């Protein structure tokens, strides 16, 4: 179990941290669920952008607030970026076939995972992001042996 804290002073460092985390996730096998927790504007999507860059995504990354999920396909893996902020009831996840997303070797980044409580699998990696002055504080917990 990894339990570490990180202090990042700006968005560029948040993206770089996401890239480092993305490379560590890419080295792990199987289905991976990553919980991204924090208030609005904490930097969950910025961190997701860095993770996606590590897999080779060069385009824009926006939070899928209205669509709930955005897929990104890479060689051999699909990364799903969820934003459950507008989810009215966790049961709505059943209607979208939530269990199908958590199949090997997919990686699921989940913003606002508490809105899907009871239907989402347990987090393999959990990041709690808080605003700290002009920067961000990240508390990372992982059941995976991440090289980070």
């Amino acid at each position: 179990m990894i339990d570490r804290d990180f202090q990042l002073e700006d968005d560029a460092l948040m993206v770089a941290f996401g890239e480092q985390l993305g490379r560590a996730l890419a080295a792990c096998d199987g289905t991976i669920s990553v919980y991204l927790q924090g208030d609005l504007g904490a930097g969950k999507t910025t961190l997701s952008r860095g993770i996606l860059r590590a897999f080779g995504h060069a385009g824009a990354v926006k939070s899928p607030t209205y669509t709930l999920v955005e897929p990104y396909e890479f060689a051999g893996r699909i990364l799903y970026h969820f934003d459950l902020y507008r989810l009215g009831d966790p049961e709505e996840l059943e209607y979208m076939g939530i269990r199908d997303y958590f199949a090997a070797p997919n990686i699921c980044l989940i913003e606002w995972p508490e809105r899907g409580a009871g239907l989402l699998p347990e987090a393999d990696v959990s990041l709690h992001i808080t605003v700290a002055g002009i920067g961000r504080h990240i508390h990372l917990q992982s059941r995976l042996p991440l090289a980070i």
Side-chain angles (χ1 to χ4, degrees):
M1 175 84 163
I2 297 171
D3 193 340
R4 292 187 56 196
D5 291 295
F6 301 87
Q7 184 67 35
L8 307 172
E9 298 305 321
D10 58 31
D11 282 354
L13 290 174
M14 180 71 94
V15 172
F17 177 80
E19 288 182 58
Q20 182 182 6
L21 178 59
R23 286 188 297 274
L25 293 171
C28 297
D29 293 326
T31 305
I32 302 171
S33 57
V34 179
Y35 283 13
L36 302 168
Q37 300 170 295
D39 292 335
L40 283 172
K44 297 177 294 293
T45 301
T46 301
L47 183 63
S48 297
R49 183 178 312 119
I51 293 169
L52 287 162
R53 279 189 185 172
F55 282 86
H57 180 74
V61 175
K62 59 184 168 91
S63 187
T65 304
Y66 294 100
T67 59
L68 293 182
V69 63
E70 186 70 34
Y72 296 87
E73 293 188 41
F74 304 102
R77 276 196 131 148
I78 301 174
L79 195 148
Y80 292 103
H81 181 196
F82 292 86
D83 183 337
L84 305 183
Y85 182 73
R86 295 197 181 278
L87 194 68
D89 185 299
E91 288 295 319
E92 291 177 40
L93 295 173
E94 287 289 354
Y95 301 126
M96 64 183 279
I98 192 67
R99 287 179 178 85
D100 296 338
Y101 293 95
F102 294 91
N106 298 342
I107 297 175
C108 296
L109 304 178
I110 307 162
E111 296 186 31
W112 303 96
E114 62 275 10
R115 307 257 170 133
L119 289 174
L120 294 175
E122 185 177 349
D124 295 303
V125 179
S126 178
L127 297 112
H128 188 82
I129 307 166
T130 53
V131 176
I134 60 167
R136 301 295 185 264
H137 176 263
I138 297 177
H139 182 78
L140 179 144
Q141 293 180 305
S142 176
R143 300 183 308 150
L144 302 174
L146 300 177
I148 191 165

